[in-house]
Amino acid sequence: MFATAFAQTPELLLADHPLSGLPPLHARKLVAALLAEQKRLGFAILYAATGTEIARWLGGRLIVMRHGRVVEEGPFERLATSQAHAYTQTLFKAALGEPPPPRNAGRGEPVLQVYGLELSARARDDDSPLDNLTFELRRGASLALVGEDGSGRRDLARTLIGLKRAAAGRVVLDAVDIGILSETMMARLRRRIALITGDDDVLDPRMTIWDTVAEPLRAHRRLPRNILSEYGEAALKRVGLASLKSNTSIAALSAFDRRRLQVARAIVTAPVLAVLDEPLRGLDAFAQSVMLDLLRNFRGTEGPALLVITADFAVARTLAETALVFRQGRIVERGALRDLAATSKEPFTRSLIEASGRSAPDGLSLAGGEG
């Protein structure tokens, strides 16, 4: 699409959210190409965006709109400060990158214990870092699996929660070795895991809001009806959905409301482990800001261990303390996110950090990342 537009040698390029939903690394490369062509051909750019990241990279003048009205306008540098309108500040809040408050790494009992894990059979001379993987995740702590689609991060996540068998090694989930469990027993153990995902099709569109929240309670806790109602209403109130009619169908909800409903489902299960799989994907900046607050509140109140799956280093740094960085089926780096952000010398990790950073792309200088 970009190549077609450039070939027309335009005086004005109208861009209607073309980078929405792309991983930051890919989006940043396309912005670099766009800026390079603008410099070569001299066209103006009018870009419609749902967030501030692309606006930051493009620079120039920003017009902030809400409900069909202009909230404010001005140079990006001014609108990105505390002098901007409260709504504008909310949009920039979703620009991410701020790490969570420091936590005690030894907090809580172990939720996940991994010993010598190998995801697939290998030749004796294969030295893949995915082999002989050993780590521990305690309640209240968080681990990010950072990489792009197909990098191996979801294979590891599926293995950790018993959806995929490991070639070797042990995974102990909530003090139970999942390698010795039958499918029935594993399904019962999995009830202690919550999932919040960027794929809103995970919710049944035929069900109502109330049934969606109450389902895990009915299935897992056999609670009296009055207690079940109390739990469900409290969860919906916490995510801002209490004003909607309980018989509203999932199909009638916006993507933002479906995402909040996933958080409500997670709240009522009181999980020991929560898997956040691209929880902000596809949301606009305002919705991302709200979701971040909901996820922080969920973590602080329910206190589960968090497993964060993302292609965005800034999301990882906002929601987790430590990370495994994946590329093409391998773990290329691991460690505390603060340390990786400050001192990593691994080229791919640096490209992820730069793609989620605050500096503008410089021509095509980002070509060193993964193609």
Side-chain angles (χ1 to χ4, degrees):
M1 291 174 62
F2 275 100
T4 301
F6 298 155
Q8 298 178 47
T9 60
E11 294 185 13
L12 172 65
L13 189 146
L14 303 176
D16 187 10
H17 308 87
L19 307 180
S20 178
L22 289 180
L25 185 58
H26 293 172
R28 192 171 170 96
K29 288 179 180 178
L30 286 173
V31 169
L34 176 58
L35 292 176
E37 288 300 292
Q38 182 190 38
K39 182 177 180 180
R40 185 175 71 88
L41 299 175
F43 53 77
I45 301 173
L46 183 61
Y47 191 103
T50 56
T52 60
E53 293 85 355
I54 304 301
R56 178 192 309 131
W57 296 339
L58 291 175
R61 192 168 185 82
L62 191 63
I63 299 176
V64 179
M65 302 188 68
R66 188 184 190 192
H67 298 156
R69 295 177 178 270
V70 174
V71 175
E72 65 178 329
E73 60 179 299
F76 181 90
E77 292 76 12
R78 181 179 68 78
L79 268 59
T81 69
S82 59
Q83 305 302 314
H85 187 280
Y87 177 72
T88 305
Q89 292 185 46
T90 300
L91 299 185
F92 277 96
K93 180 181 176 183
L96 305 170
E98 294 302 320
R103 289 176 177 266
N104 180 0
R107 179 188 179 207
E109 70 278 6
V111 172
L112 265 176
Q113 295 166 290
V114 179
Y115 304 99
L117 187 67
E118 295 181 14
L119 295 189
S120 59
R122 63 188 179 98
R124 192 174 292 273
D125 60 351
D126 186 356
D127 61 351
S128 169
L130 274 177
D131 295 326
N132 202 26
L133 185 61
T134 299
F135 64 89
E136 181 179 83
L137 182 63
R138 291 179 174 267
R139 182 146 192 162
S142 58
L143 172 67
L145 309 181
V146 186
E148 300 187 301
D149 289 344
S151 63
R153 56 189 184 152
R154 286 198 177 91
D155 283 343
L156 176 58
R158 288 171 60 84
T159 302
L160 296 179
I161 61 176
L163 293 175
K164 180 179 178 180
R165 289 284 181 180
R170 295 174 59 217
V171 176
V172 179
L173 174 61
D174 198 20
V176 179
D177 187 339
I178 67 175
I180 64 174
L181 297 182
S182 66
E183 284 298 322
T184 301
M185 294 299 294
M186 189 64 230
R188 291 178 182 174
L189 180 61
R190 213 174 284 127
R191 294 171 183 173
R192 306 212 65 193
I193 303 172
L195 173 65
I196 300 172
T197 173
D199 179 8
D200 295 301
D201 290 337
V202 71
L203 301 178
D204 188 338
R206 299 166 297 180
M207 295 179 67
T208 65
I209 290 177
W210 177 250
D211 287 339
T212 300
V213 172
E215 181 185 36
L217 291 172
R218 293 195 189 103
H220 308 326
R221 299 200 174 199
R222 302 181 184 277
L223 295 172
R225 187 175 182 84
N226 62 320
I227 300 297
L228 185 149
S229 178
E230 182 179 330
Y231 272 45
E233 289 174 3
L236 290 172
K237 184 175 181 180
R238 280 177 57 183
V239 301
L241 294 178
S243 62
L244 297 181
K245 294 182 179 179
S246 61
N247 63 351
T248 302
S249 71
I250 303 302
L253 298 180
S254 67
F256 178 36
D257 288 344
R258 293 189 191 195
R259 205 70 54 87
R260 288 192 287 173
L261 189 58
Q262 288 191 53
V263 179
R265 274 176 63 94
I267 289 171
V268 299
T269 60
V272 296
L273 174 67
V275 179
L276 311 183
D277 187 355
E278 299 288 7
L280 306 183
R281 176 178 284 174
L283 298 179
D284 61 36
F286 180 79
Q288 286 187 14
S289 179
V290 174
M291 275 295 294
L292 283 174
D293 286 340
L294 291 178
L295 292 172
R296 291 188 185 107
N297 178 270
F298 165 63
R299 182 184 182 184
T301 304
E302 275 65 41
L306 291 187
L307 194 63
V308 183
I309 304 171
T310 182
D312 192 331
F313 194 90
V315 172
R317 195 172 178 215
T318 302
L319 295 175
E321 290 91 34
T322 59
L324 303 176
V325 181
F326 290 74
R327 186 186 187 192
Q328 298 177 349
R330 298 168 61 88
I331 295 175
V332 296
E333 199 163 11
R334 60 188 296 180
L337 280 155
R338 289 175 183 268
D339 296 338
L340 293 177
T343 63
S344 173
K345 293 182 173 57
E346 169 62 38
F348 181 66
T349 304
R350 294 308 310 173
S351 70
L352 292 176
I353 295 169
E354 291 167 5
S356 59
R358 295 182 177 275
S359 59
D362 181 22
L364 293 174
S365 62
L366 300 174
E370 182 179 13

